[in-house]
Amino acid sequence: MYNILIVDDDREIVESIEIYLKNEGFNTYKAYDGIQALDIIMSKEIHLILMDIMMPKLYGIKATIKIREEKNIPIILVSAKSEDTDKIIGLNIGADDYITKPFNLLELVARVNSNLRRYMNLGNYSNLDVNKEVIKSGGLELNTYTKEVKVDGEIIKVTPIEYKILELLLRNKGRVFSIDEIYEKVWQEESFNVENTVAVHIRRIREKIEINPREPKYLKVVWGVGYKIEKL
């Protein structure tokens, strides 16, 4: 049974989400500000977090930054704001997904299931395949056994989404994937207006693996077409 942490200062929203998640067989924990959320994360095994942005004491963006310093578990940001800038900020600081209030609770459950599937596929909570495989391009390597990404021998911390994007591109070195292809293969959902979402994750990956993200060695853009990992 997976443990979902619901973080929102609106208790009615928390209770509504909890009912739907429990009906799906999830175990839930509740927090009403960022400080409470961090305390629970440090003391409990949490598999996914639903994080409201606007909260007292420690708001969702700062709480997400602190969580990302230690944990790679999926974080879905929940906010009453609908502007693209809020979505981009959330993705930039390490969130995996974003949903805007008011939302359909069935859609929220679907997003929870989708993010959990991707995360569990990384092997974090399942038995690892005994067949060790390392995919390389020059000094960039991805180990499918340990789920580690290294650049010139140094381990790089990546989120589950970043890992899946890198795995897709590294397994197909030289092939150009469109934004829609990347989204549908990694998020496992139909793409619609996803340019900013994918672009933000690509930028974060570049900041982690490239010496100079403005002149990338590994992760290249093919203007008007998409992205690829160079064969090195």
PDB file of all heavy atoms in Angstrom, residues 106-132:
ATOM      1  N   LEU A 106     -11.301  12.892  -9.731  1.00  0.00           N
ATOM      2  CA  LEU A 106     -10.948  11.697 -10.497  1.00  0.00           C
ATOM      3  C   LEU A 106      -9.684  11.938 -11.318  1.00  0.00           C
ATOM      4  O   LEU A 106      -8.841  11.042 -11.474  1.00  0.00           O
ATOM      5  CB  LEU A 106     -12.103  11.291 -11.411  1.00  0.00           C
ATOM      6  CG  LEU A 106     -13.360  10.780 -10.703  1.00  0.00           C
ATOM      7  CD1 LEU A 106     -14.461  10.496 -11.719  1.00  0.00           C
ATOM      8  CD2 LEU A 106     -13.050   9.520  -9.892  1.00  0.00           C
ATOM      9  N   GLU A 107      -9.541  13.158 -11.845  1.00  0.00           N
ATOM     10  CA  GLU A 107      -8.313  13.498 -12.569  1.00  0.00           C
ATOM     11  C   GLU A 107      -7.122  13.503 -11.620  1.00  0.00           C
ATOM     12  O   GLU A 107      -6.029  13.025 -11.964  1.00  0.00           O
ATOM     13  CB  GLU A 107      -8.430  14.874 -13.234  1.00  0.00           C
ATOM     14  CG  GLU A 107      -7.155  15.268 -13.975  1.00  0.00           C
ATOM     15  CD  GLU A 107      -7.151  16.711 -14.466  1.00  0.00           C
ATOM     16  OE1 GLU A 107      -8.185  17.393 -14.329  1.00  0.00           O
ATOM     17  OE2 GLU A 107      -6.099  17.140 -14.976  1.00  0.00           O
ATOM     18  N   LEU A 108      -7.322  14.016 -10.421  1.00  0.00           N
ATOM     19  CA  LEU A 108      -6.239  14.035  -9.430  1.00  0.00           C
ATOM     20  C   LEU A 108      -5.778  12.618  -9.116  1.00  0.00           C
ATOM     21  O   LEU A 108      -4.570  12.341  -9.065  1.00  0.00           O
ATOM     22  CB  LEU A 108      -6.708  14.733  -8.154  1.00  0.00           C
ATOM     23  CG  LEU A 108      -5.659  14.845  -7.033  1.00  0.00           C
ATOM     24  CD1 LEU A 108      -4.518  15.749  -7.459  1.00  0.00           C
ATOM     25  CD2 LEU A 108      -6.295  15.364  -5.750  1.00  0.00           C
ATOM     26  N   VAL A 109      -6.720  11.717  -8.906  1.00  0.00           N
ATOM     27  CA  VAL A 109      -6.370  10.321  -8.629  1.00  0.00           C
ATOM     28  C   VAL A 109      -5.611   9.723  -9.810  1.00  0.00           C
ATOM     29  O   VAL A 109      -4.634   8.985  -9.624  1.00  0.00           O
ATOM     30  CB  VAL A 109      -7.640   9.501  -8.312  1.00  0.00           C
ATOM     31  CG1 VAL A 109      -7.308   8.009  -8.260  1.00  0.00           C
ATOM     32  CG2 VAL A 109      -8.254   9.949  -6.987  1.00  0.00           C
ATOM     33  N   ALA A 110      -6.037  10.053 -11.019  1.00  0.00           N
ATOM     34  CA  ALA A 110      -5.349   9.548 -12.213  1.00  0.00           C
ATOM     35  C   ALA A 110      -3.916  10.047 -12.263  1.00  0.00           C
ATOM     36  O   ALA A 110      -2.991   9.289 -12.617  1.00  0.00           O
ATOM     37  CB  ALA A 110      -6.104   9.966 -13.473  1.00  0.00           C
ATOM     38  N   ARG A 111      -3.699  11.289 -11.896  1.00  0.00           N
ATOM     39  CA  ARG A 111      -2.340  11.846 -11.896  1.00  0.00           C
ATOM     40  C   ARG A 111      -1.490  11.183 -10.805  1.00  0.00           C
ATOM     41  O   ARG A 111      -0.293  10.939 -11.006  1.00  0.00           O
ATOM     42  CB  ARG A 111      -2.385  13.353 -11.688  1.00  0.00           C
ATOM     43  CG  ARG A 111      -2.847  14.129 -12.907  1.00  0.00           C
ATOM     44  CD  ARG A 111      -2.946  15.610 -12.608  1.00  0.00           C
ATOM     45  NE  ARG A 111      -3.376  16.348 -13.773  1.00  0.00           N
ATOM     46  CZ  ARG A 111      -2.559  16.919 -14.651  1.00  0.00           C
ATOM     47  NH1 ARG A 111      -1.248  16.789 -14.498  1.00  0.00           N
ATOM     48  NH2 ARG A 111      -3.026  17.601 -15.664  1.00  0.00           N
ATOM     49  N   VAL A 112      -2.090  10.915  -9.672  1.00  0.00           N
ATOM     50  CA  VAL A 112      -1.374  10.214  -8.603  1.00  0.00           C
ATOM     51  C   VAL A 112      -0.925   8.842  -9.099  1.00  0.00           C
ATOM     52  O   VAL A 112       0.243   8.454  -8.951  1.00  0.00           O
ATOM     53  CB  VAL A 112      -2.261  10.072  -7.350  1.00  0.00           C
ATOM     54  CG1 VAL A 112      -1.648   9.073  -6.360  1.00  0.00           C
ATOM     55  CG2 VAL A 112      -2.447  11.430  -6.673  1.00  0.00           C
ATOM     56  N   ASN A 113      -1.827   8.111  -9.700  1.00  0.00           N
ATOM     57  CA  ASN A 113      -1.492   6.775 -10.210  1.00  0.00           C
ATOM     58  C   ASN A 113      -0.412   6.843 -11.284  1.00  0.00           C
ATOM     59  O   ASN A 113       0.508   6.011 -11.309  1.00  0.00           O
ATOM     60  CB  ASN A 113      -2.743   6.090 -10.768  1.00  0.00           C
ATOM     61  CG  ASN A 113      -3.633   5.518  -9.678  1.00  0.00           C
ATOM     62  OD1 ASN A 113      -3.150   4.901  -8.733  1.00  0.00           O
ATOM     63  ND2 ASN A 113      -4.930   5.723  -9.794  1.00  0.00           N
ATOM     64  N   SER A 114      -0.516   7.822 -12.162  1.00  0.00           N
ATOM     65  CA  SER A 114       0.454   7.961 -13.248  1.00  0.00           C
ATOM     66  C   SER A 114       1.851   8.256 -12.710  1.00  0.00           C
ATOM     67  O   SER A 114       2.843   7.651 -13.138  1.00  0.00           O
ATOM     68  CB  SER A 114       0.013   9.078 -14.198  1.00  0.00           C
ATOM     69  OG  SER A 114       0.955   9.285 -15.217  1.00  0.00           O
ATOM     70  N   ASN A 115       1.950   9.174 -11.760  1.00  0.00           N
ATOM     71  CA  ASN A 115       3.253   9.522 -11.184  1.00  0.00           C
ATOM     72  C   ASN A 115       3.838   8.375 -10.369  1.00  0.00           C
ATOM     73  O   ASN A 115       5.050   8.147 -10.390  1.00  0.00           O
ATOM     74  CB  ASN A 115       3.129  10.779 -10.320  1.00  0.00           C
ATOM     75  CG  ASN A 115       3.186  12.054 -11.134  1.00  0.00           C
ATOM     76  OD1 ASN A 115       4.259  12.568 -11.433  1.00  0.00           O
ATOM     77  ND2 ASN A 115       2.018  12.565 -11.500  1.00  0.00           N
ATOM     78  N   LEU A 116       2.981   7.643  -9.682  1.00  0.00           N
ATOM     79  CA  LEU A 116       3.469   6.489  -8.923  1.00  0.00           C
ATOM     80  C   LEU A 116       4.012   5.404  -9.848  1.00  0.00           C
ATOM     81  O   LEU A 116       5.038   4.787  -9.558  1.00  0.00           O
ATOM     82  CB  LEU A 116       2.360   5.919  -8.040  1.00  0.00           C
ATOM     83  CG  LEU A 116       2.091   6.661  -6.729  1.00  0.00           C
ATOM     84  CD1 LEU A 116       0.839   6.114  -6.064  1.00  0.00           C
ATOM     85  CD2 LEU A 116       3.284   6.551  -5.782  1.00  0.00           C
ATOM     86  N   ARG A 117       3.328   5.169 -10.959  1.00  0.00           N
ATOM     87  CA  ARG A 117       3.809   4.167 -11.919  1.00  0.00           C
ATOM     88  C   ARG A 117       5.197   4.514 -12.423  1.00  0.00           C
ATOM     89  O   ARG A 117       6.086   3.656 -12.491  1.00  0.00           O
ATOM     90  CB  ARG A 117       2.846   4.046 -13.108  1.00  0.00           C
ATOM     91  CG  ARG A 117       1.615   3.207 -12.831  1.00  0.00           C
ATOM     92  CD  ARG A 117       0.935   2.813 -14.134  1.00  0.00           C
ATOM     93  NE  ARG A 117       0.592   3.970 -14.960  1.00  0.00           N
ATOM     94  CZ  ARG A 117      -0.552   4.631 -14.871  1.00  0.00           C
ATOM     95  NH1 ARG A 117      -1.457   4.260 -13.983  1.00  0.00           N
ATOM     96  NH2 ARG A 117      -0.801   5.660 -15.665  1.00  0.00           N
ATOM     97  N   ARG A 118       5.396   5.772 -12.771  1.00  0.00           N
ATOM     98  CA  ARG A 118       6.708   6.180 -13.262  1.00  0.00           C
ATOM     99  C   ARG A 118       7.769   6.017 -12.187  1.00  0.00           C
ATOM    100  O   ARG A 118       8.876   5.548 -12.438  1.00  0.00           O
ATOM    101  CB  ARG A 118       6.664   7.643 -13.733  1.00  0.00           C
ATOM    102  CG  ARG A 118       5.928   7.842 -15.023  1.00  0.00           C
ATOM    103  CD  ARG A 118       6.227   9.203 -15.608  1.00  0.00           C
ATOM    104  NE  ARG A 118       5.744  10.277 -14.751  1.00  0.00           N
ATOM    105  CZ  ARG A 118       4.542  10.820 -14.843  1.00  0.00           C
ATOM    106  NH1 ARG A 118       3.682  10.365 -15.734  1.00  0.00           N
ATOM    107  NH2 ARG A 118       4.190  11.798 -14.046  1.00  0.00           N
ATOM    108  N   TYR A 119       7.412   6.409 -10.965  1.00  0.00           N
ATOM    109  CA  TYR A 119       8.385   6.345  -9.874  1.00  0.00           C
ATOM    110  C   TYR A 119       8.754   4.906  -9.537  1.00  0.00           C
ATOM    111  O   TYR A 119       9.921   4.566  -9.367  1.00  0.00           O
ATOM    112  CB  TYR A 119       7.797   7.038  -8.641  1.00  0.00           C
ATOM    113  CG  TYR A 119       8.756   7.135  -7.475  1.00  0.00           C
ATOM    114  CD1 TYR A 119      10.025   7.679  -7.637  1.00  0.00           C
ATOM    115  CD2 TYR A 119       8.376   6.713  -6.209  1.00  0.00           C
ATOM    116  CE1 TYR A 119      10.882   7.793  -6.567  1.00  0.00           C
ATOM    117  CE2 TYR A 119       9.230   6.824  -5.140  1.00  0.00           C
ATOM    118  CZ  TYR A 119      10.485   7.370  -5.319  1.00  0.00           C
ATOM    119  OH  TYR A 119      11.345   7.482  -4.260  1.00  0.00           O
ATOM    120  N   MET A 120       7.765   4.046  -9.461  1.00  0.00           N
ATOM    121  CA  MET A 120       8.046   2.652  -9.127  1.00  0.00           C
ATOM    122  C   MET A 120       8.821   1.957 -10.243  1.00  0.00           C
ATOM    123  O   MET A 120       9.606   1.058  -9.982  1.00  0.00           O
ATOM    124  CB  MET A 120       6.740   1.899  -8.841  1.00  0.00           C
ATOM    125  CG  MET A 120       5.974   2.458  -7.646  1.00  0.00           C
ATOM    126  SD  MET A 120       7.033   2.682  -6.203  1.00  0.00           S
ATOM    127  CE  MET A 120       6.152   3.995  -5.360  1.00  0.00           C
ATOM    128  N   ASN A 121       8.626   2.405 -11.467  1.00  0.00           N
ATOM    129  CA  ASN A 121       9.379   1.825 -12.578  1.00  0.00           C
ATOM    130  C   ASN A 121      10.869   2.115 -12.468  1.00  0.00           C
ATOM    131  O   ASN A 121      11.692   1.425 -13.077  1.00  0.00           O
ATOM    132  CB  ASN A 121       8.868   2.355 -13.922  1.00  0.00           C
ATOM    133  CG  ASN A 121       7.557   1.717 -14.312  1.00  0.00           C
ATOM    134  OD1 ASN A 121       7.187   0.668 -13.798  1.00  0.00           O
ATOM    135  ND2 ASN A 121       6.833   2.355 -15.215  1.00  0.00           N
ATOM    136  N   LEU A 122      11.234   3.126 -11.690  1.00  0.00           N
ATOM    137  CA  LEU A 122      12.655   3.422 -11.484  1.00  0.00           C
ATOM    138  C   LEU A 122      13.308   2.426 -10.546  1.00  0.00           C
ATOM    139  O   LEU A 122      14.520   2.403 -10.402  1.00  0.00           O
ATOM    140  CB  LEU A 122      12.829   4.836 -10.893  1.00  0.00           C
ATOM    141  CG  LEU A 122      12.390   6.000 -11.774  1.00  0.00           C
ATOM    142  CD1 LEU A 122      12.712   7.311 -11.086  1.00  0.00           C
ATOM    143  CD2 LEU A 122      13.059   5.938 -13.132  1.00  0.00           C
ATOM    144  N   GLY A 123      12.495   1.627  -9.865  1.00  0.00           N
ATOM    145  CA  GLY A 123      13.065   0.618  -8.988  1.00  0.00           C
ATOM    146  C   GLY A 123      13.253   1.071  -7.557  1.00  0.00           C
ATOM    147  O   GLY A 123      13.862   0.371  -6.750  1.00  0.00           O
ATOM    148  N   ASN A 124      12.745   2.248  -7.199  1.00  0.00           N
ATOM    149  CA  ASN A 124      12.963   2.752  -5.847  1.00  0.00           C
ATOM    150  C   ASN A 124      12.356   1.860  -4.782  1.00  0.00           C
ATOM    151  O   ASN A 124      12.869   1.748  -3.677  1.00  0.00           O
ATOM    152  CB  ASN A 124      12.348   4.165  -5.724  1.00  0.00           C
ATOM    153  CG  ASN A 124      13.047   5.145  -6.627  1.00  0.00           C
ATOM    154  OD1 ASN A 124      12.996   5.041  -7.835  1.00  0.00           O
ATOM    155  ND2 ASN A 124      13.732   6.110  -6.042  1.00  0.00           N
ATOM    156  N   TYR A 125      11.225   1.224  -5.096  1.00  0.00           N
ATOM    157  CA  TYR A 125      10.552   0.401  -4.092  1.00  0.00           C
ATOM    158  C   TYR A 125      10.263  -0.992  -4.614  1.00  0.00           C
ATOM    159  O   TYR A 125       9.399  -1.678  -4.114  1.00  0.00           O
ATOM    160  CB  TYR A 125       9.257   1.080  -3.632  1.00  0.00           C
ATOM    161  CG  TYR A 125       9.532   2.297  -2.815  1.00  0.00           C
ATOM    162  CD1 TYR A 125       9.574   3.543  -3.410  1.00  0.00           C
ATOM    163  CD2 TYR A 125       9.792   2.202  -1.452  1.00  0.00           C
ATOM    164  CE1 TYR A 125       9.857   4.672  -2.665  1.00  0.00           C
ATOM    165  CE2 TYR A 125      10.075   3.328  -0.702  1.00  0.00           C
ATOM    166  CZ  TYR A 125      10.097   4.557  -1.306  1.00  0.00           C
ATOM    167  OH  TYR A 125      10.387   5.664  -0.577  1.00  0.00           O
ATOM    168  N   SER A 126      10.968  -1.404  -5.656  1.00  0.00           N
ATOM    169  CA  SER A 126      10.782  -2.743  -6.193  1.00  0.00           C
ATOM    170  C   SER A 126      12.126  -3.417  -6.320  1.00  0.00           C
ATOM    171  O   SER A 126      13.164  -2.778  -6.230  1.00  0.00           O
ATOM    172  CB  SER A 126      10.100  -2.680  -7.563  1.00  0.00           C
ATOM    173  OG  SER A 126      10.893  -1.944  -8.469  1.00  0.00           O
ATOM    174  N   ASN A 127      12.116  -4.726  -6.515  1.00  0.00           N
ATOM    175  CA  ASN A 127      13.363  -5.450  -6.676  1.00  0.00           C
ATOM    176  C   ASN A 127      14.042  -5.042  -7.977  1.00  0.00           C
ATOM    177  O   ASN A 127      13.430  -4.988  -9.034  1.00  0.00           O
ATOM    178  CB  ASN A 127      13.101  -6.959  -6.705  1.00  0.00           C
ATOM    179  CG  ASN A 127      12.594  -7.456  -5.379  1.00  0.00           C
ATOM    180  OD1 ASN A 127      13.001  -6.949  -4.339  1.00  0.00           O
ATOM    181  ND2 ASN A 127      11.712  -8.427  -5.406  1.00  0.00           N
ATOM    182  N   LEU A 128      15.350  -4.778  -7.888  1.00  0.00           N
ATOM    183  CA  LEU A 128      16.089  -4.346  -9.054  1.00  0.00           C
ATOM    184  C   LEU A 128      16.424  -5.529  -9.954  1.00  0.00           C
ATOM    185  O   LEU A 128      16.647  -6.634  -9.487  1.00  0.00           O
ATOM    186  CB  LEU A 128      17.391  -3.649  -8.619  1.00  0.00           C
ATOM    187  CG  LEU A 128      17.208  -2.327  -7.868  1.00  0.00           C
ATOM    188  CD1 LEU A 128      18.535  -1.871  -7.310  1.00  0.00           C
ATOM    189  CD2 LEU A 128      16.637  -1.269  -8.786  1.00  0.00           C
ATOM    190  N   ASP A 129      16.457  -5.264 -11.241  1.00  0.00           N
ATOM    191  CA  ASP A 129      16.846  -6.287 -12.197  1.00  0.00           C
ATOM    192  C   ASP A 129      18.303  -6.669 -11.958  1.00  0.00           C
ATOM    193  O   ASP A 129      19.167  -5.800 -11.817  1.00  0.00           O
ATOM    194  CB  ASP A 129      16.684  -5.716 -13.615  1.00  0.00           C
ATOM    195  CG  ASP A 129      16.853  -6.775 -14.680  1.00  0.00           C
ATOM    196  OD1 ASP A 129      17.387  -7.854 -14.377  1.00  0.00           O
ATOM    197  OD2 ASP A 129      16.453  -6.490 -15.822  1.00  0.00           O
ATOM    198  N   VAL A 130      18.578  -7.960 -11.923  1.00  0.00           N
ATOM    199  CA  VAL A 130      19.939  -8.401 -11.665  1.00  0.00           C
ATOM    200  C   VAL A 130      20.843  -8.140 -12.863  1.00  0.00           C
ATOM    201  O   VAL A 130      22.066  -8.210 -12.756  1.00  0.00           O
ATOM    202  CB  VAL A 130      19.984  -9.903 -11.307  1.00  0.00           C
ATOM    203  CG1 VAL A 130      19.253 -10.156 -10.015  1.00  0.00           C
ATOM    204  CG2 VAL A 130      19.389 -10.746 -12.440  1.00  0.00           C
ATOM    205  N   ASN A 131      20.278  -7.881 -14.036  1.00  0.00           N
ATOM    206  CA  ASN A 131      21.079  -7.618 -15.218  1.00  0.00           C
ATOM    207  C   ASN A 131      21.468  -6.144 -15.255  1.00  0.00           C
ATOM    208  O   ASN A 131      20.704  -5.287 -15.669  1.00  0.00           O
ATOM    209  CB  ASN A 131      20.290  -7.979 -16.486  1.00  0.00           C
ATOM    210  CG  ASN A 131      19.975  -9.451 -16.543  1.00  0.00           C
ATOM    211  OD1 ASN A 131      20.833 -10.283 -16.274  1.00  0.00           O
ATOM    212  ND2 ASN A 131      18.732  -9.777 -16.866  1.00  0.00           N
ATOM    213  N   LYS A 132      22.671  -5.872 -14.807  1.00  0.00           N
ATOM    214  CA  LYS A 132      23.157  -4.499 -14.755  1.00  0.00           C
ATOM    215  C   LYS A 132      23.359  -3.960 -16.167  1.00  0.00           C
ATOM    216  O   LYS A 132      23.923  -4.621 -17.025  1.00  0.00           O
ATOM    217  CB  LYS A 132      24.475  -4.450 -13.980  1.00  0.00           C
ATOM    218  CG  LYS A 132      25.084  -3.067 -13.849  1.00  0.00           C
ATOM    219  CD  LYS A 132      26.335  -3.138 -13.009  1.00  0.00           C
ATOM    220  CE  LYS A 132      26.976  -1.770 -12.861  1.00  0.00           C
ATOM    221  NZ  LYS A 132      28.185  -1.824 -12.012  1.00  0.00           N
TER     222      LYS A 132
END
